[in-house]
Amino acid sequence: MSNIPETGRTQRVTIRLVVLQVLVLSLLATLGGRLWYLQIRTGSEYVAKSQGNHIREVVEPAIRGEILDASGRVLAANQTRLVVSVSRTSLLQQKDHGKAVLGRLAEVLGVPAKDVQDKVRLCDAKTPQPCWNGSPYQPIPVTQQATTQQAMQIMERREDFPGVTAQPTAVRNYPGTEGANAAQVLGYLSPVTDEEVSKSADKTGRDRRLPSDQVGRAGLEAVYDNDLRGTTGVDRLEVDNLGRVIGSAGNTPAQPGNNLVTSIDARVQKVVEQQLAQAMTDARQVFDKETNKNYEADSGAAVVMDVHTGRIVAMASAPTFDPNLWVGGISAKDYQALNNKDSNYPLINRAIQGQSAPGSTFKVISTTAAVQAGYSLDGHYPCPKSMTIGGREFKNFESESFGDISLEKALEVSCDTVFYGLSYDQWMKDGGIKPKNPQDWFFKTAHQFGLGAKTGIDLPGEVTGRVPDRQWKQSFFDANKDAWCSQAAKGGHEYADEIARENCVDGNVMRAGDSVNFAIGQGDTLVTPLQMARIYSALANGGTLYRPTIGKAVVSPGGGLVRDIAPHEDGKIPAGGELLSYINQATAGVITSGTAAWKFVGSGWPQGKIELHAKTGTAEVAGKQTTSWLTTYSGDYAVVMTISQGGTGSGGSGDSVRRIYQALYGVDDKGNIDNSKALLPKPQAELPKFNPDGTAILKPASFSTTLSTPFQGERAFLDPALPAAPASADLALPAALEPTRAYGRSRA
């Protein structure tokens, strides 16, 4: 009898059919589920995307806000220029990738074809400047200085220049108002990067970056970028499948950026820049007996601070550059020139990034430390010509001896050995090389004065300086022990080899030499000019450490107040009452009969009418000439100047600092005061007034800021044709400018 079913199918065939049916049903179910998801669950999303495929956005850049000085003078503005731009997207669609178009464009602009090709290539790790570091989908500016005739040629021959546009555009401009440069303070702009665009994609308003944006990369342009940049406008155009415009889908108007009012006074800024340059020029005419050549005076900085608010009235750094170099892009050659040893790195703001030993200007801190440790203001302390500590001789400047003197006299004549003695005595009380619960008054006091930390100024890239206390000694030893021991093993006989042998064994130990060097602002101590201006401002105002600021207020394009930037108290120095009066009396003595007298009272300064206070410093640095420091203050301002390899404190900086005060208070070379010629006898507290159109109402000037000493320019690279800024807002300190340890005595 047959086992085949009436259907004629075997059991195996039946099973296969069932499996096939299950597979078909599963596929149908999957397809149905996917259709439901696409058409119902996310249908509206895809409808929007489909509609978006027919929308093209045209970006309208916002007008960037201006940066103004305290009276409303324009420090950074916008200027309408004819900008020729090229679309990479259009070029890549051509058979030769736009080579012919760029060649014709170069011919019209009168430049080599390679220059144009380099400007439109994209930046990467292997591509040097010039190149484009913005979005590849954004039109790339080739020149921002096209003539009307060049623009007409391009626009009238569109068929020869596909993807090329020529149109008026507002570009950044730094007009040098009143002759003020302020390059390191103002900063510069560069195009936004793809990464920045992506990171801000989910943000709105001024927090969102679009491919057309220019953003601040340094200085105030970077810190206040969100305030200044405004909101980019967008026109949404409906297009057909051929890309032709058929209508409008709405638009968002561009909103101009707000303006920043600063505490900088352009007139004072000019004088400070001139006098810093003049001081460096003068120093190069002075012969240095120790190195048997003239002083190099290779760099410097100067700061003028309002002692009652911490606001910066002027800040200069040398060498410097013309900030307009960045406008329109910068060539590879010129960009390199701003970042190499030959130019001494003018992009660095040495007022906040330059670190050096402070020399004797540190002694106001050491005096405070001594009093905190229990030493009397009424006491007298030995000032021999030298002291032997730890087997080494520590000398006074030019081996001067003053006998037993007060701390006031020690500050006035800048006696090193008084402070050597106090510091050594305290080091011994703390246990010497085997400390037991050390008080470390000198290190502790330095921290209380704000050293070893950033001041918090509203500029990027500020450095901390260094207080070489026990904690730092240990961390520095851990990081360098292997290198020291390796150098020591070679058995060299240079001074550096001797130091390496010592440090290999006990580089983490606070030795007597470390302690006494610190007391006179030498050794491993590092400060910035801004830190010293802040400290001497505190001496002038009764002891308050203010946070330094340059931004004073953010105002709308029409002049209305958007945000006030009020002074901020960070703390108090540990010197008040009797001690503060004592230090003020001593620093006034430096002007009348001390180390700075020959440059002030001896040069006609009217000390009886406008009292100044000062401390000079001449810091020794291994392998270099001495650093000149002059820290001063009046009842209104602190003025600090320092010059690397610039000689003595008063000799290198004295004349120029005096002339800054002469300009501020209207004092002539004979000591006569003419208030009508005073630039700023009191810091400007109020904000400027504005016209209805947003322009500032300026007070008419009735005098000239030209001083009796001619300006010998220290600026570098004033050729207006320079590179597209790097994307990074932080400026790394070049290896060549890493601080060098300072040894030996401090001079007055």
Side-chain angles (χ1 to χ4, degrees):
M1 185 176 179
S2 177
N3 293 325
I4 298 175
E6 293 179 1
T7 60
R9 295 187 302 226
T10 64
Q11 185 177 3
R12 180 178 297 177
V13 172
T14 302
I15 292 173
R16 289 179 177 175
L17 289 172
V18 171
V19 171
L20 182 60
Q21 290 171 349
V22 171
L23 287 174
V24 171
L25 291 173
S26 297
L27 289 172
L28 289 172
T30 301
L31 181 59
R34 183 60 178 167
L35 288 172
W36 174 85
Y37 177 80
L38 292 174
Q39 295 188 14
I40 300 177
R41 178 68 182 273
T42 60
S44 58
E45 178 183 343
Y46 283 96
V47 168
K49 288 186 176 181
S50 175
Q51 293 174 344
N53 288 335
H54 297 283
I55 301 296
R56 296 291 182 267
E57 292 187 345
V58 177
V59 173
E60 179 191 355
I63 301 298
R64 192 172 180 86
E66 295 179 332
I67 300 177
L68 311 174
D69 86 341
S71 295
R73 302 179 187 90
V74 178
L75 301 175
N78 301 291
Q79 187 178 58
T80 301
R81 295 185 182 178
L82 280 171
V83 177
V84 175
S85 302
V86 173
S87 168
R88 275 183 55 85
T89 304
S90 178
L91 293 181
L92 294 176
Q93 291 173 350
Q94 299 171 37
K95 290 181 179 181
D96 63 352
H97 288 182
K99 185 176 181 179
V101 173
L102 295 180
R104 289 192 291 270
L105 178 60
E107 186 177 346
V108 170
L109 297 178
V111 298
K114 187 178 183 303
D115 289 0
V116 177
Q117 293 166 2
D118 287 350
K119 286 190 175 184
V120 301
R121 64 185 176 177
L122 300 181
C123 294
D124 57 33
K126 298 180 180 179
T127 304
Q129 293 281 352
C131 57
W132 176 250
N133 65 347
S135 169
Y137 304 106
Q138 180 68 24
I140 301 172
V142 173
T143 179
Q144 295 185 345
Q145 298 178 341
T147 65
T148 304
Q149 184 179 2
Q150 289 169 338
M152 296 264 311
Q153 283 185 268
I154 293 169
M155 300 312 293
E156 289 177 354
R157 297 162 51 196
R158 289 182 180 273
E159 68 280 1
D160 291 334
F161 298 102
V164 180
T165 59
Q167 58 187 19
T169 305
V171 298
R172 206 55 163 170
N173 173 254
Y174 303 95
T177 303
E178 296 287 347
N181 180 38
Q184 293 91 348
V185 173
L186 295 173
Y188 52 83
L189 308 178
S190 78
V192 69
T193 64
D194 275 351
E195 182 181 0
E196 290 169 323
V197 172
S198 299
K199 286 183 177 180
S200 67
D202 58 345
K203 298 180 180 179
T204 59
R206 300 188 182 198
D207 293 327
R208 186 183 179 190
R209 305 291 192 268
L210 293 177
S212 61
D213 285 346
Q214 294 272 324
V215 295
R217 298 298 186 191
L220 297 173
E221 295 277 28
V223 173
Y224 292 97
D225 184 64
N226 271 9
D227 293 299
L228 294 167
R229 195 161 32 82
T231 305
T232 302
V234 178
D235 283 334
R236 297 172 182 84
L237 304 177
E238 294 180 354
V239 297
D240 60 17
N241 58 349
L242 297 179
R244 295 174 299 193
V245 177
I246 59 175
S248 173
N251 72 302
T252 303
Q255 299 295 325
N258 292 319
N259 297 330
L260 175 68
V261 178
T262 71
S263 54
I264 298 291
D265 186 288
R267 302 164 304 168
V268 179
Q269 178 72 26
K270 172 191 174 182
V271 170
V272 172
E273 290 170 357
Q274 287 181 336
Q275 291 308 316
L276 174 61
Q278 187 64 50
M280 294 172 66
T281 299
D282 291 344
R284 296 186 188 118
Q285 312 307 313
V286 178
F287 186 74
D288 177 17
K289 292 183 292 185
E290 294 201 15
T291 60
N292 202 33
K293 62 180 182 180
N294 285 8
Y295 286 106
E296 294 185 19
D298 54 9
S299 61
V303 177
V304 179
M305 179 182 286
D306 177 350
V307 301
H308 298 292
T309 62
R311 286 173 170 151
I312 304 300
V313 178
M315 176 181 286
S317 177
T320 188
F321 60 97
D322 183 347
N324 286 299
L325 298 176
W326 299 98
V327 177
I330 189 167
S331 70
K333 177 182 176 181
D334 292 329
Y335 180 76
Q336 183 62 32
L338 292 174
N339 286 279
N340 65 29
K341 187 176 181 180
D342 291 339
S343 66
N344 206 8
Y345 310 97
L347 294 179
I348 291 175
N349 184 349
R350 286 169 168 81
I352 65 170
Q353 295 173 312
Q355 302 179 97
S356 66
S360 293
T361 62
F362 187 83
K363 289 173 182 173
V364 295
I365 298 172
S366 295
T367 300
T368 304
V371 172
Q372 289 203 104
Y375 299 92
S376 174
L377 290 175
D378 297 325
H380 283 70
Y381 305 91
C383 178
K385 65 179 182 180
S386 66
M387 293 180 67
T388 300
I389 298 173
R392 291 182 181 174
E393 186 179 31
F394 291 80
K395 296 181 179 180
N396 258 342
F397 177 49
E398 296 184 347
S399 299
E400 290 180 288
S401 175
F402 292 94
D404 289 352
I405 59 176
S406 65
L407 289 175
E408 179 184 343
K409 187 67 175 179
L411 285 173
E412 183 180 311
V413 300
S414 205
C415 176
D416 288 343
T417 50
V418 165
F419 295 96
Y420 287 149
L422 293 171
S423 180
Y424 181 70
D425 185 47
Q426 191 60 34
W427 178 80
M428 291 293 292
K429 289 180 180 179
D430 282 340
I433 61 173
K434 296 180 180 180
K436 297 180 181 179
N437 301 317
Q439 294 297 306
D440 285 337
W441 280 112
F442 284 80
F443 298 111
K444 185 183 298 182
T445 304
H447 283 296
Q448 291 172 331
F449 271 81
L451 296 182
K454 296 180 181 181
T455 66
I457 189 172
D458 48 348
L459 287 176
E462 183 186 14
V463 297
T464 62
R466 182 166 66 210
V467 174
D469 54 17
R470 296 180 195 274
Q471 181 180 358
W472 177 84
K473 288 279 288 184
Q474 185 62 53
S475 63
F476 194 65
F477 175 76
D478 294 339
N480 293 278
K481 181 181 179 182
D482 292 344
W484 285 328
C485 293
S486 176
Q487 183 174 351
K490 296 177 181 178
H493 300 288
E494 299 294 331
Y495 183 66
D497 299 316
E498 180 185 347
I499 295 297
R501 282 190 289 273
E502 291 181 1
N503 287 338
C504 175
V505 177
D506 59 358
N508 60 336
V509 174
M510 184 64 68
R511 295 182 285 252
D514 296 321
S515 182
V516 299
N517 259 328
F518 181 71
I520 61 164
Q522 292 282 175
D524 293 305
T525 314
L526 292 173
V527 302
T528 68
L530 181 64
Q531 288 174 326
M532 299 309 289
R534 185 183 186 220
I535 287 171
Y536 278 78
S537 288
L539 294 176
N541 67 33
T544 300
L545 286 169
Y546 283 98
R547 183 175 303 169
T549 55
I550 299 178
K552 196 172 181 181
V554 177
V555 299
S556 69
L561 181 64
V562 174
R563 185 175 80 254
D564 182 52
I565 304 171
H568 185 278
E569 294 185 17
D570 282 331
K572 298 282 187 179
I573 60 173
E578 182 184 5
L579 174 57
L580 188 57
S581 298
Y582 188 92
I583 292 175
N584 284 334
Q585 183 173 326
T587 52
V590 173
I591 293 288
T592 57
S593 56
T595 54
W598 65 302
K599 292 295 185 181
F600 286 87
V601 171
S603 295
W605 180 259
Q607 182 73 353
K609 298 178 180 179
I610 303 174
E611 186 174 74
L612 299 183
H613 305 253
K615 187 71 195 79
T616 59
T618 309
E620 295 190 343
V621 182
K624 292 187 176 184
Q625 295 171 310
T626 54
T627 300
S628 169
W629 278 95
L630 184 54
T631 50
T632 68
Y633 59 96
S634 67
D636 308 293
Y637 303 102
V639 179
V640 171
M641 182 176 289
T642 182
I643 301 173
S644 171
Q645 304 195 93
T648 64
S650 56
S653 303
D655 285 331
S656 285
V657 169
R658 187 190 69 251
R659 292 189 191 107
I660 291 171
Y661 280 113
Q662 286 180 246
L664 287 167
Y665 291 111
V667 180
D668 66 19
D669 289 339
K670 295 181 180 180
N672 301 312
I673 301 173
D674 185 345
N675 291 329
S676 68
K677 295 183 178 180
L679 289 184
L680 203 65
K682 293 289 182 182
Q684 183 167 324
E686 71 279 2
L687 293 176
K689 305 295 183 182
F690 294 92
N691 292 306
D693 64 356
T695 57
I697 302 173
L698 299 177
K699 297 178 181 178
S702 58
F703 51 83
S704 169
T705 60
T706 302
L707 300 181
S708 58
T709 300
F711 171 47
Q712 302 294 327
E714 192 63 35
R715 296 183 186 177
F717 316 110
L718 296 181
D719 179 2
L722 274 185
S728 174
D730 292 326
L731 187 63
L733 192 67
L737 292 183
E738 286 295 339
T740 304
R741 184 173 182 177
Y743 296 97
R745 65 190 181 278
S746 171
R747 304 179 190 173

